Amino acid sequence: MKQRYIVTEDADMLAPDWLAVRINYSSIKFVYYLADGAEKLKGVRIDGQIAKIGDTISFDGKRLSVERR
């Protein structure tokens, strides 16, 4: 069964378990930027691809993939 998650601004706090357990800060990590002195989430980097806010991350049981909106 393919699971999907749409990246939101609160993805770093509300990520589903299947995504949160795979974050290892080398191949999968959260990318932030500074806006008016505050850090905001830009997206999730997965093996060189960045899933921006609004994009969908899919997990098919073996690998993660990014689907653009």
Side-chain angles (χ1 to χ4, degrees), residues 3-6 8 11 16 20 22 28 37 42 58-59 62 66:
Q3 299 176 348
R4 295 185 171 158
Y5 175 68
I6 297 175
T8 62
R22 286 170 177 77
I28 300 172
K42 181 177 184 178
S58 300
F59 178 62
K62 292 184 180 179
V66 177

Side-chain angles (χ1 to χ4, degrees), residues 44-61:
V44 181
R45 187 181 70 160
I46 301 173
D47 294 328
Q49 292 183 328
I50 293 184
K52 296 181 181 178
I53 295 174
D55 293 346
T56 303
I57 298 173
S58 300
F59 178 62
D60 64 0

Side-chain angles (χ1 to χ4, degrees), residues 12-27:
D12 51 352
M13 294 179 278
L14 301 175
D17 291 337
W18 55 266
L19 179 59
V21 298
R22 286 170 177 77
I23 297 170
N24 57 9
Y25 300 106
S26 62
S27 61

